[in-house]
Amino acid sequence: MATLYVVLKTLHVGSVVATLTLFIVRAGWMVFAPARLARRWVRVLPHCVDTVLLGSAVGLAVLLGQYPGAQPWLTAKVLALVLYIALGTIGLKRGPTKTIRSVACMAALLVFAYIASVALSHNPYGFFA
């Protein structure tokens, strides 16, 4: 069980780094090189990484018996994740202007930082504590 935990945690943390890197790259391209966002791998790879991220998160939750609703810090992470996804969608696709998309991307990065701070501290207040 300890080995499975290490594998899932490593996969989860690696996926977090990969998803953040891809988001930053895509946000930069949205501002400076929008044509690059149309490449097939740019449209597919983030979904693959996010699937691994979600799968490893669910695996860790089941393995450790920690679930949103039962653990306040995990509930805060999941709620913030929904906000991050919404802001990211506005920032990378749905924002009507480049200014709105840029502000949404910056807000998404702040929410991402909050999620990471909650994950590291196991405190629902994260860096606000």
Side-chain angles (χ1 to χ4, degrees):
M1 181 141 100
T3 304
L4 180 58
Y5 171 78
V6 171
V7 168
L8 285 172
K9 177 102 182 221
T10 302
L11 193 58
H12 188 69
V13 172
S15 298
V16 167
V17 171
T19 200
L20 177 61
T21 301
L22 286 167
F23 183 82
I24 291 169
V25 167
R26 291 184 302 154
W29 285 349
M30 181 270 303
V31 173
F32 300 109
R36 291 183 177 186
L37 292 173
R39 294 178 178 169
R40 182 170 174 77
W41 74 267
V42 175
R43 290 181 286 121
V44 173
L45 184 60
H47 297 294
C48 295
V49 170
D50 290 344
T51 299
V52 171
L53 178 59
L54 180 61
S56 62
V58 170
L60 283 168
V62 170
L63 185 68
L64 299 174
Q66 296 184 342
Y67 304 101
Q71 299 290 327
W73 69 273
L74 201 49
T75 304
K77 271 184 65 173
V78 170
L79 293 174
L81 176 63
V82 172
L83 179 59
Y84 168 75
I85 291 168
L87 288 168
T89 300
I90 293 166
L92 295 176
K93 292 182 188 177
R94 310 223 187 291
T97 67
K98 195 174 278 192
T99 301
I100 290 172
R101 290 192 307 267
S102 297
V103 169
C105 283
M106 288 186 282
L109 289 172
L110 286 173
V111 172
F112 192 97
Y114 165 76
I115 293 169
S117 73
V118 170
L120 292 171
S121 67
H122 289 200
N123 183 329
Y125 296 110
F127 53 62
F128 294 112

